[in-house]
Every structure is written in C-alpha cells, then in structure tokens.
C-alpha cells in the first residue's frame, strides 16, 4: 500500500512542471476528504459499475497555455491518499468534449475507487460535449487551435502532466499507465496510439469516432434520403422494417436470441421490399397503416450509406440490428432516421452533433439549410469536410508500429448495433493496420460486440471485463482470447456470452443444451 502525506497536497509540490511549447499559468491542489459517488458501467464502458465510498484524495489541476494561441488547457488529476495501486488511468471525453465534464468525472470516480490515480483534460474547451462555445474565434473563423487541442495536442500533454503530478506526489512514476474512453474518448485512445506512442502502456478505445470528418455528415444521410423523397415515414414503419431484418437474420449466427450476429450476411440475404404494403398497428398513431415504399427505401438506403446518385457508396452505413429511430426497446440515443409526427404528418430530426459539425466547421459563415439540401450539395459538404479536416481528425493512420515498438497494447471494441459510430470503418481500420504492421495480434485486438448500441444500450451488454483483459495483457503478457458479456434474450432473460478478437467470432457448440451458458461458446 502506497501512502503519501496530505501535506504534499499543496500547489508548491507541483510548481516545477515544464511542458514543451507551453507555459503553466495556474496550479491548484487541495485535499478532497470523505468523498462518495457512483460510477456506473455506462460511464466506464469496459469496466463494471463501481462505488467510490468515503474517499480521500489530492485533487491537482494544472492549467497551461501554448503562448500565442490564447488557450487555457486544464489537466485534473486525482491522487488517492492511501491505497494507490501504482497505476494511472486517464479518462477520455465524449461528444465534442475532451474531458473534465460530468460524465467523465463519473468514469474517474470508478478508477479512483479501484485504486488508480486518474486524470482528464479539458483540452482548453468548455466543460460540455457542445462545441458551439469554442468552435470559432470570430464569426466564420475556425479556432483551429481549439480543434487541434481536441484532436490530438492535449492528449500527449495529458500523459505528461499526469505522470509529473504522480511522480511529485508519490516520489515515483506510475508502474503502468492506461487510457480508457468510448466514442470521442475512443478516438482519443486511437489518436494516442497513432501520435503519442509512448504516452500510455495500455489503451482501451471503445467505439472510436474515426474518420469523423466523413462520419459526422454521414449521420445526416438518412434524413437526406427522406428529404429527397419528400416524405417522412412514421418511426413505426422504419422500426418494423428494422425489426423484420432482426427477426430474419437472427438465426444466421446459429442461435435465435434476438441479436444479429452476422450483419453483413444479413445485408446480403434480407429482402426488405417484401414489407412494402404490410399492415401494421402504428405505435405513434395507435391506428392501422401500411408500410410505405419510402420507409423501406429509407432503411435500405441508410444501411447502404451515403452514395452518389448512380449508387456509388462513399461511406459505410449502420448495420441491420442498429436502431435507426431510437424508438426500439433498450435504445439510449436518437437514431439517424428519427422523425417526429403529429396528425398532420411527420418531419425529420437531424442528429444535432452532426449538424453542428457541418455548420460550425464545414460551412462556417454560410447557414446550411438542412431542410433543403440537394444530393449534390450534401455530397459536396461531405467532400469538403474530408478535404479540410481529414489530416486533423481522421485518426486512421494504419502505421502504429511505433506504439508496438514502445511495448504498448491496444484494444478497440464497438457494438454491431451502434447507430452513431459505425463498425465498418473500424473493421476497415483494423484491416489496414494488419496490412502494414506485422504481428498485429501481438499488440492490437479488435472486438465486435453483438447487439450493443453506441457505448451503451441494445440487447447486448457493454464488455465490462475487457479492461481487466487489457491489464493482464500489459502487465502479465496474457493476451485476451475472449471476454465475457451478457445479452438480454427475446424473453427478457439474461444469457452469458463471449466476445472474440476479430476476425474470430463467438460460435455456439451445437451439442450444448443451455444456450445461455458461457461454456457453450468458443471463439473460432
Ligand atoms: C464521511 O461521510 C459520511 C457520510 O457520507 C459521514 O457519515 C461520516 O461521518 C463522514 N466521516 C468523516 C470522517 O467526516
Ligand atoms: C478539483 O479541482 C478543480 C479545480 O479547482 C475543481 O474544478 C474540481 O471541481 C475539483 N474536483 C473535486 C472532485 O473536488
Ligand atoms: C487562463 O487562466 C489564467 C489563470 O486562471 C487566467 O488568468 C487567464 O485569464 C486565462 N486566459 C484565458 C485566455 O482564458
Ligand atoms: C429548395 O428550395 C427551393 C426554393 O424554395 C426549391 O426551388 C428547390 O426545389 C428546393 N430544393 C430541394 C432539394 O428541395
Ligand atoms: C498477473 O499475474 C499475477 C501472478 O499470477 C497475478 O497475481 C496478477 O493478478 C496478474 N495481474 C493481472 C493484471 O492480471
Ligand atoms: C461441446 O459440448 C459437448 C457437450 O457438452 C462437449 O462434450 C464438447 O467437448 C463441446 N465441444 C467443444 C468444441 O467445446
């Protein structure tokens, strides 16, 4: 057990920090005593829920600026006064927030309760996932320094500052350093492996928002299809088509449990056109109606992803099983094809963060009329977005051999039913790394989680034991061959499953009687 005196928890302990190309402007340090808070699994993604009870820790916040850039970046580090496990776990952000906001603090409570020193950076932005307060320096002019701080610059500095604070307080460096995040936080994790290969020993990158300059406009694609059709279907129509795909494709993975384990096979085999004209009772109107041809086209077109008028796909779409409206059971987030309906009919609801991306950064001064975009205009925005922001924000450099050489271990996972950040670009990224780096399996593993939505939700569960697998890999060299998860089956019961490192898949042993038992599943 490592004990450090509370007397060291004063600003002067931390006043000799030097950060390359930056100047420290403020140091805060104070003991936080008898602090309790909950850390639910949906804020820690790859770790189980944890309670922080009557904790005593030193709260150190170091603020620095990159002279001339007018920024103020703060790194907040919490140091247990007793019981430090000699490790660092930094927490990633979400939305357009880098860290140091409520959800991220929620993740840090759990890390602290597990004995870690834990840290987070705000990248000089505001304590919210909403970027509108910091995107511009003046109307139409992008604050590129802020964007760059979010994209990458703040991340290497997060590791530098956290390790400095730890070494000053405990008199030694952490034995192992970890980064954990999902969505924006997952992207930060991959960016760290790509641009700061020495910063962390173990990185857990959940549902990483890679190729964000394309992924953001692509989230508006379903609405574009409805706009072009001049018709907005009821959510009940769209949900029925998605549910029919789930029902049809559920057995393709060998087990009927309400989960699509083979979504690509599903895309090939499921014919949605048979649903046109089917009579349903609509949840939104409480009356009988028939499924329109437009509803079917919107669902299949959304799966296809943004495409040219002659059908060339420009970015992948979500997979069958993903909730396109956000109205299916278990959903935690609005889907890309959500519509809002009254007796007069329905209107579309664009994804707000995706709209913000296009308006604030791609279009800037010219107000985008999202209710009236031609295909040509839509594709032009997609192209401009990639053109202008790819080098800053793509986070898809396949050559992560420097991270491999530094001895790092990287795990990434994504829900196959994610409706915001999509599995296909991540699978493509994993393939691209495999193409240019040898022995990828020795340091980088990719897990697909059947039935999981965007960092939460869906009939599949979060892979809450995966972080423990990362630790065993980093510290003991034991690579994660699989990891336990659960699913909620068609009857609402909980069944045990495993997830597997890509390209392996969980396979059910036919001679096993109990589908719900973990022993019946292997990776192959
Ligand atoms: C710590 O907080 C609890 C309530 O959460 C309180 O009952 C207890 O007296 C406090 N202990 C100290 C040492 O302040
Ligand atoms: C830690 O200190 C920072 C800066 O003073 C403050 O904003 C934050 O709320 C503190 N956190 C806790 C848990 O006390
Ligand atoms: C940065 O923080 C320092 C110290 O808190 C403050 O004096 C300064 O005004 C801040 N600068 C900006 C640009 O916010
Ligand atoms: C956009 O609006 C203009 C004028 O209001 C109209 O002529 C045009 O057809 C609209 N375009 C689309 C794609 O709806
Ligand atoms: C590593 O192995 C040791 C010895 O078997 C064990 O005590 C420890 O818990 C393991 N650590 C992790 C992170 O798995
Ligand atoms: C499948 O299950 C049967 C019966 O429980 C068992 O005997 C067999 O070893 C299992 N096969 C595999 C590959 O796990």
């Amino acid at each position: 057990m490592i004990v450090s005196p509370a007397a060291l928890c004063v600003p002067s302990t931390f006043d000799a920090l030097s950060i390359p190309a930056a100047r420290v402007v403020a140091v805060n340090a104070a003991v936080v005593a008898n602090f309790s808070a909950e850390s639910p699994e949906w804020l820690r993604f790859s770790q189980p829920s944890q309670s922080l009870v009557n904790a005593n820790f030193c709260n150190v916040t170091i603020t620095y600026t990159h002279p001339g850039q007018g920024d103020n970046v703060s790194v907040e580090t919490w140091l247990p006064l007793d019981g430090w496990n000699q490790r660092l776990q930094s927490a990633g952000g979400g939305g357009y927030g880098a860290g140091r906001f409520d959800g991220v603090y929620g993740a840090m409570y759990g890390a602290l309760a597990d004995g870690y020193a834990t840290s987070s950076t705000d990248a000089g932005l505001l304590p919210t996932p909403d970027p509108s307060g910091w995107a511009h320096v003046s109307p139409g002019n992008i604050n590129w320094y802020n964007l760059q701080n979010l994209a990458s610059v703040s991340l290497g500095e997060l590791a530098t500052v956290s390790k400095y604070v730890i070494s000053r307080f405990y008199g030694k460096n952490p034995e192992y350093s970890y980064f954990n995040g999902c969505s924006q936080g997952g992207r930060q994790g991959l960016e760290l492996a790509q641009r700061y290969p020495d910063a962390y020993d173990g990185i857990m990158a959940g549902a990483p928002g890679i190729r964000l300059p394309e992924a953001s406009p692509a989230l508006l694609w379903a609405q574009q299809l409805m706009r072009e059709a001049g018709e907005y279907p009821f959510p009940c129509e769209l949900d029925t088509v998605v549910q029919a795909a789930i029902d049809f494709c559920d057995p393709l993975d060998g087990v009927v449990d309400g989960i699509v384990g083979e979504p690509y096979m599903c895309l090939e085999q499921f014919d949605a056109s048979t649903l046109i004209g089917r009579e349903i009772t609509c949840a939104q109107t409480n009356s009988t109606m028939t499924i329109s041809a437009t509803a079917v086209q919107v669902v299949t077109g959304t799966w296809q992803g943004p495409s040219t008028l002659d059908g060339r796909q420009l970015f992948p779409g979500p997979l069958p099983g993903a909730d396109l409206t956000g109205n299916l059971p278990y959903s935690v987030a609005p889907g890309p094809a959500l519509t809002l309906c009254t007796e007069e009919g329905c209107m579309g609801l664009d994804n707000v963060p995706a709209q913000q991306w296009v308006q604030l950064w791609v279009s800037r001064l010219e107000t985008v009329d999202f209710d009236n975009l031609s295909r040509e205009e839509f594709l032009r925005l997609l192209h401009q977005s990639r053109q202008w922001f790819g080098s800053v924000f793509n986070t898809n450099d396949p050559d992560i051999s420097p991270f491999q050489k530094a001895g790092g271990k990287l795990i990434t996972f994504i829900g196959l039913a994610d409706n915001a950040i999509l599995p296909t670009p991540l699978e493509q990224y994993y393939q691209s790394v495999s193409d240019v780096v040898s022995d990828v399996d020795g340091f980088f593993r990719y897990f697909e989680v059947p039935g999981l939505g965007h960092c939460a939700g869906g009939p599949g569960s979060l892979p809450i034991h995966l972080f423990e697998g990362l630790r065993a890999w980093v510290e003991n060299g034991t690579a994660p061959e699989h990891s336990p998860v659960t699913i909620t089956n068609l009857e609402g019961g909980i069944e045990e499953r495993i997830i597997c490192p890509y390209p392996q898949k969980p396979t059910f042993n036919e001679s096993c009687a109990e589908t719900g038992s973990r022993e019946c599943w292997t990776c192959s």
Side-chain angles (χ1 to χ4, degrees), residues 58-81:
C58 180
N59 175 16
V60 182
T61 304
I62 293 191
T63 303
Y64 59 90
T65 185
H66 303 96
Q69 299 191 3
D71 56 355
N72 249 357
V73 182
S74 294
V75 171
E76 187 169 333
T77 308
W78 299 347
L79 308 154
L81 288 190

Side-chain angles (χ1 to χ4, degrees), residues 296-348:
V296 169
Q297 280 156 14
V298 167
V299 172
T300 55
T302 302
W303 290 338
Q304 152 87 19
S307 305
T308 60
L309 281 169
D310 55 13
R312 189 163 57 90
Q313 187 200 46
L314 299 174
F315 194 76
L319 299 172
D323 186 352
L324 299 187
T325 63
N327 282 344
L328 287 178
Y330 321 106
S331 216
V332 293
L338 183 59
T339 57
L340 195 65
C341 304
T342 62
E343 273 145 30
E344 279 100 73
C346 302
M347 59 179 231

